[in-house]
Structure formats: structure tokens, C-alpha cells
């Protein structure tokens, strides 16, 4: 996702010019890299209305610039919902967003608004921002060192709504995009275990790669 600054019409005497930023990007199928038509894109920015992708999977949203972390949510028929936090700033560039086909329709045509179409020409200058990186780790039992399945990992940053992940049999959790300088709280809960809470920052990220939970006293 990229953002370009622009201004509205000249202000009348006594008024100020409201600067806006155009946030634009590309939504593609993670497997085929084809553009997804009709995907709904929502940004957590004041005054921003949802955007919808065109026949090539491109969207653009106009909104005032923000100095806060931006939450982006993408909804498309037959695809998993995308919900991540991205760094703010009018000059930031982010990788194109890739959606995974939901398990219920894997191996079938996506169809509807989410049907993959001919892949668009790759956009130039797109790259993974160095200001955004994944946050991941493994949840283990402190005594057995075995992975804990079904643990709920909750990430809360600034005033944004919490993001949730649930571990599978490997005990792994993954948040795909988290601003490198983001600060907040990571909370882990699992049936039969004591809750785990940890402040996150650039310094504490390595400590979150392996989290060990203690069982509650019987």
C-alpha cells in the first residue's frame, strides 16, 4: 500500500486548506497473484470511507494523514479476512496484500467478487517496508516443552482493537505485519494454564519467540 499527499480546493479567506492523503494498493490472490475484484478495504483513519478494488485488484482511499499506527482490514468473498497493523506516514510503501482462499473453497474456483482474474502488471517500486515486520513465536508448556494447542494470543497496540491468533498443534502464532517501533501488550491465555502478559517493544521482540506457560494449580 502506498500513500500520496494531495490537497483539496484552495481555501476561502479565513479558512485553512485540508490536506488529504491517497492510500492506494493492490489486493491479490496469495496463490495465483491475480488481482481480486470487489474486495472491501477499511482503514482505521478518521474520515476514511471503505474502498473497493477494481477489476485489477487496485483500490484508493482518500483521508487526512495520520501519525498513528494504521489498521487495515480487507474482506473478499471466499477469502480469509486480512487484519493487520501498518506503520503510518504519507511516504511509506507497503507490500501488496495477499489473501488466502478460505479452506472451505480451496481447490475450487473462488467465484463471485473474490474470483481471481488475469494478473495485472506488477507495480514498480513495491517492496516490504523495513518499518514493518512479523511478530511470531511458539507457545510451550514450561515443564514438558511441548507445544500448546488452542492458546489464544492477543496483541493490543495503541488505541486499536486487539488482534487475535489461536495456536494449532505446533503452538506457533504469527502476526504478519507489526510496525517495528510499535509498543503495546501481548497476552496469552490457554485452558489449564496461567495467563501470560508482556509489554512489547523493539527490545522485547526476541523474548517473545518462545513463551512458556505454567499450569494452574489443581
Amino acid at each position: 500500500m502506498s500513500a500520496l499527499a494531495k490537497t483539496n480546493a484552495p481555501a476561502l479567506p479565513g479558512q485553512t486548506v485540508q490536506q488529504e492523503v491517497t492510500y492506494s494498493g493492490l489486493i491479490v490472490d496469495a496463490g495465483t497473484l491475480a488481482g481480486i475484484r470487489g474486495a472491501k478495504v477499511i482503514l482505521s483513519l478518521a474520515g476514511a470511507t471503505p474502498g473497493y478494488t477494481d477489476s485489477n485488484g487496485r483500490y484508493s482511499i482518500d483521508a487526512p494523514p495520520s501519525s498513528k499506527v494504521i489498521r487495515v482490514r480487507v474482506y473478499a468473498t471466499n477469502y480469509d479476512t486480512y487484519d493487520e497493523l501498518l506503520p503510518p506516514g504519507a511516504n511509506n510503501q507497503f507490500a501488496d496484500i495477499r489473501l488466502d482462499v478460505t479452506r472451505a473453497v480451496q481447490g475450487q474456483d473462488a467465484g463471485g467478487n473474490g474470483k481471481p482474474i488475469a494478473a495485472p502488471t506488477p507495480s514498480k517500486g513495491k517492496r516490504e517496508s523495513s518499518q514493518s515486520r512479523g511478530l511470531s513465536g511458539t507457545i510451550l508448556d514450561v515443564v514438558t516443552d511441548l507445544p500448546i494447542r488452542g492458546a489464544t494470543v492477543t496483541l493490543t497496540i495503541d488505541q486499536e482493537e486487539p488482534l487475535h491468533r489461536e495456536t494449532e498443534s505446533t503452538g506457533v502464532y504469527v502476526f504478519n505485519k507489526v510496525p517495528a517501533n510499535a509498543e503495546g501488550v501481548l497476552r496469552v491465555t490457554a485452558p489449564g494454564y496461567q495467563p501470560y502478559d508482556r509489554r512489547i517493544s523493539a527490545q522485547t521482540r526476541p523474548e517473545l519467540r518462545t513463551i512458556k506457560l505454567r499450569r494452574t494449580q489443581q
Side-chain angles (χ1 to χ4, degrees):
M1 181 174 72
S2 61
L4 300 175
K6 72 175 186 176
T7 57
N8 293 330
L12 298 174
Q15 294 181 333
T16 57
V17 175
Q18 176 65 49
Q19 186 183 50
E20 284 192 339
V21 172
T22 297
Y23 296 87
S24 61
L26 184 66
I27 311 298
V28 301
D29 183 291
T32 67
L33 298 185
I36 299 174
R37 178 183 58 207
K40 183 178 181 180
V41 183
I42 301 176
L43 303 180
S44 61
L45 296 169
T49 57
Y52 292 86
T53 55
D54 61 16
S55 59
N56 291 318
R58 297 187 178 278
Y59 70 91
S60 62
I61 298 175
D62 294 337
S66 173
S67 60
K68 297 182 178 180
V69 170
I70 299 172
R71 182 179 187 180
V72 57
R73 284 170 287 179
V74 182
Y75 304 91
T77 303
N78 296 324
Y79 287 88
D80 290 340
T81 298
Y82 180 95
D83 189 349
E84 295 295 343
L85 301 174
L86 302 179
N91 296 320
N92 286 342
Q93 290 188 343
F94 305 98
D96 298 333
I97 294 175
R98 302 182 181 187
L99 301 186
D100 292 315
V101 177
T102 56
R103 293 183 180 181
V105 295
Q106 284 180 1
Q108 306 175 25
D109 262 340
N113 287 339
K115 182 179 180 180
I117 60 175
T121 302
S123 56
K124 297 181 179 180
K126 288 287 186 179
R127 66 184 188 279
E128 184 70 19
S129 170
S130 61
Q131 297 182 359
S132 179
R133 64 189 65 177
L135 176 64
S136 62
T138 305
I139 311 301
L140 303 177
D141 183 293
V142 70
V143 176
T144 65
D145 271 343
L146 294 176
I148 299 175
R149 181 175 185 173
T152 300
V153 184
T154 302
L155 176 63
T156 305
I157 293 180
D158 293 336
Q159 301 302 316
E160 297 295 331
E161 295 180 16
L163 302 177
H164 303 280
R165 298 290 186 270
E166 185 170 310
T167 59
E168 297 187 358
S169 58
T170 59
V172 172
Y173 71 90
V174 178
F175 294 95
N176 293 323
K177 291 180 180 290
V178 178
N181 60 350
E183 295 187 358
V185 176
L186 188 83
R187 180 176 177 82
V188 183
T189 58
Y193 288 88
Q194 299 176 13
Y196 174 96
D197 292 279
R198 188 76 164 89
R199 293 287 304 176
I200 68 165
S201 65
Q203 291 73 31
T204 61
R205 280 174 181 256
E207 302 173 16
L208 302 175
R209 292 174 183 168
T210 301
I211 298 174
K212 298 186 177 183
L213 301 186
R214 296 182 180 276
R215 288 190 175 274
T216 56
Q217 295 181 354
Q218 300 297 328

